[in-house]
């Protein structure tokens, strides 16, 4: 082999190696760019996910929105925000104030033992009944059931005062009142199940729509505010002429306490 051919072959080999190195360098550069781009996309996705989560976390909740909704007052209410709920014969001279939270287990015990006597007295015109609805258990035990049940009570009151009393009794009944820590009343389906035990509400399309649409959600919040302004801190609480009455556990003890309050 001549010296010239040997040098040419070496030069060609060096050129091939150079070309291969450049090609490999280009591939490596492209690969790095793809990796970097993927990392950037992943980082942006994480940042976007965090930002979305923060935005969602700062969005007003359902009841925050309800607080700003238009106020719809149920029929059979009075007062500026429709939060004065008085049931009974107009000629009854005295008014029994009843303060209750729908999730309250003590309220359920009271209603189960004395509720029928209260309704009998109201129907007889012995006194009127003024209802104050609270929602503080939603804060203590967590949940939305007190607010949701109060809204449904507004829908029942819109049907009639009698439907309101019957529905309230059904919500507190032994068969249907959940444990305080079980937020069954937060579900519209459960509230409608309870309503099916009340003749005036069973199959009542207007009542059903009001419950499902949350028509009286804002009213329930206003009622809760009105309760908060009374200074009452526990439920059930009974008052007559502004004076607190001990909450009796039997119809007989209740009647004795009420007769004493009426006489006083």
């Amino acid at each position: 082999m001549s010296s010239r051919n040997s040098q040419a072959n070496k030069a060609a080999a060096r050129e091939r190696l150079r070309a291969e190195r450049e090609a490999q360098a280009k591939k490596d550069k492209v690969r790095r760019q793809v990796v970097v781009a993927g990392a950037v996309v992943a980082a942006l996705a994480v940042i976007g996910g965090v930002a979305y989560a923060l935005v969602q976390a700062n969005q007003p909740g359902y009841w925050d929105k309800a607080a700003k909704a238009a106020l719809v007052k149920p029929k059979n209410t009075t007062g500026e925000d429709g939060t004065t709920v008085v049931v009974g014969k107009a000629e009854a001279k005295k008014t029994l104030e009843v303060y209750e939270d729908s999730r309250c287990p003590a309220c359920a015990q009271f209603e189960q033992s004395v509720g029928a006597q209260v309704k009998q007295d109201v129907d007889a015109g012995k006194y009127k009944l003024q209802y104050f609805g609270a929602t503080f258990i939603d804060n203590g035990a967590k949940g939305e059931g007190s607010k949701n049940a109060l809204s449904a009570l507004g829908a029942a009151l819109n049907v009639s005062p009698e439907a309101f009393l019957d529905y309230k009794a059904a919500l507190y009944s032994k068969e249907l009142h959940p444990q305080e820590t079980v937020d069954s009343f937060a579900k519209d389906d459960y509230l409608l199940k309870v309503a099916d035990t009340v003749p005036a509400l069973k199959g009542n399309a207007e009542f059903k729509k009001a419950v499902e649409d949350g028509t009286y959600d804002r009213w329930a919040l206003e009622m809760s505010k009105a309760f908060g302004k009374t200074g009452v801190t526990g439920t059930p609480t009974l008052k007559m002429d502004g004076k607190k009455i001990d909450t009796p556990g039997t119809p007989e003890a209740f009647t004795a306490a009420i007769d004493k309050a009426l006489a006083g």
Side-chain angles (χ1 to χ4, degrees):
M1 179 181 295
S2 68
S3 176
R4 170 184 285 181
N5 288 340
S6 177
Q7 291 177 355
N9 289 339
K10 289 180 179 180
R14 287 195 297 270
E15 182 61 25
R16 284 196 302 272
L17 288 174
R18 184 189 64 78
E20 289 174 359
R21 285 196 296 269
E22 287 182 355
Q24 186 61 45
K26 288 180 180 179
K27 289 181 181 179
D28 292 342
K29 182 178 180 181
V30 170
R31 187 180 297 111
R32 287 195 298 272
Q33 289 174 337
V34 170
V35 171
V36 170
V40 170
V41 170
L44 290 174
V46 171
I47 293 171
V50 171
Y52 178 79
L54 288 173
V55 169
Q56 291 301 109
N58 290 321
Q59 287 289 328
Y62 177 85
W63 289 97
D64 294 323
K65 294 178 182 177
K68 298 178 182 179
L71 175 63
V72 181
K73 306 174 188 178
K75 296 174 186 175
N76 306 301
T77 63
T78 57
E80 182 179 356
D81 295 319
T83 57
T84 302
V85 177
V86 179
V87 179
K89 295 184 177 180
E91 59 269 25
K93 296 180 180 180
K94 299 278 189 175
T95 300
L96 175 67
E97 299 173 12
V98 178
Y99 300 77
E100 294 177 323
D101 186 311
S102 295
R103 292 177 67 183
C104 168
C107 295
Q109 291 174 4
F110 169 74
E111 289 286 345
Q112 290 166 24
S113 61
V114 181
Q117 184 63 53
V118 174
K119 188 174 187 302
Q120 181 179 321
D121 290 348
V122 171
D123 290 343
K126 190 172 183 177
Y127 49 81
K128 295 188 286 289
L129 176 73
Q130 183 171 3
Y131 172 79
F132 294 84
T135 64
F136 59 83
I137 290 179
D138 282 353
N139 298 326
K142 305 299 181 184
E144 302 176 350
S146 293
K147 294 187 285 288
N148 209 36
L150 187 52
S151 177
L153 281 167
L157 185 59
N158 190 67
V159 174
S160 71
E162 294 74 23
F164 168 80
L165 289 180
D166 290 344
Y167 187 50
K168 184 163 74 75
L171 288 171
Y172 285 124
S173 66
K174 185 176 181 179
E175 298 77 16
L176 296 169
H177 192 268
Q179 295 180 10
E180 184 177 2
T181 54
V182 179
D183 200 20
S184 300
F185 290 163
K187 302 174 183 177
D188 292 345
D189 287 348
Y190 192 84
L191 294 176
L192 293 173
K193 173 186 174 181
V194 176
D196 282 343
T197 67
V198 179
L201 302 180
K202 184 176 182 179
N204 188 314
E206 183 179 359
F207 170 82
K208 181 175 184 291
K209 187 175 188 302
V211 171
E212 293 177 337
D213 291 352
T215 302
Y216 302 105
D217 287 352
R218 166 72 187 281
W219 173 83
L221 296 176
E222 296 301 327
M223 171 64 87
S224 181
K225 289 180 186 176
F227 182 102
K229 294 176 181 178
T230 64
V232 173
T233 57
T235 56
T237 291
L238 306 178
K239 287 185 179 183
M240 187 169 286
D241 293 333
K243 298 178 181 179
K244 187 175 179 180
I245 303 172
D246 289 336
T247 308
T250 65
E252 295 76 18
F254 173 79
T255 296
I258 287 297
D259 288 346
K260 181 179 179 181
L262 289 171

